[in-house]
Amino acid sequence: MSELYIVATPIGNLGDITFRALETFKSADVIAAEDTRHTLQLLNHFEIRKPLISCRSHNEQLASEKIIQLLDEGKRVAYASDAGTPGISDPGAVLAGNARKAGHTVIPVPGPCAFAALASVAGAGGKTLVFEGFLSPKPGRRKSRLRELLAAGDAVILYESPYRIVKLLSDIADIDGGRRIVVGRELTKLHEEITEGTAQAVLADYGSRDKVMGEFAVFISGNKKVKIPAESSDNESEA
């Protein structure tokens, strides 16, 4: 039996790489990656030369079989997604599960994560923080799930793309315009921006911008006191 290391990598600032992550890459026989080209750039920056194998969301099941074969041969394998912690809205969970089922040791090498980064500055409070990741791109499903999350009253963190961030903010404001939210854009990167306010105010800010770019994490504060009305009987578009 051998070891599979699940390695967190920077979400933007290369200074966030951990000593342990670098040592893990250096000691691995093979490095599996969501995007070998992306990970190669990271490894080149730190002058690490290792064989690479692809393991992305579209081929994770098949790729995990190849990686388990390497583990069966006694190879030490490190896995990295494009950025952040594998398995958190990134590939890696299937690989980790399959490797464990095959009897291999799966070892976390923790580090950067947009979810944890935003939670650390959002002032969440309370005992419960729900991580939902990316909601459905379909408007009806997205808003229906948002309504459920806000009605539950717990704090929530979501991820969103620049193409749908204004739509997401609009849905939150429509459900509860007074709910406090914190939007993290390009966390740890050169143009990092953290915006806080009511859902309505943050929507007005982003809605007025000519162009919205970057990767987003959105914190929605919990509120057990506000009652969210039941979903309208009108059918919302699924397009």
Side-chain angles (χ1 to χ4, degrees), residues 6-9 11 79 81 83-91 109-114 116 159:
I6 304 298
V7 186
T9 54
I11 59 176
Y79 178 73
S81 57
T85 302
I88 300 182
S89 288
D90 269 346
V109 182
C113 175
Y159 287 167

Side-chain angles (χ1 to χ4, degrees), residues 217-232:
V218 180
F219 168 84
I220 307 173
S221 64
N223 193 332
K224 297 285 188 180
K225 297 179 180 179
V226 172
K227 300 298 181 183
I228 303 298
E231 190 170 356
S232 170

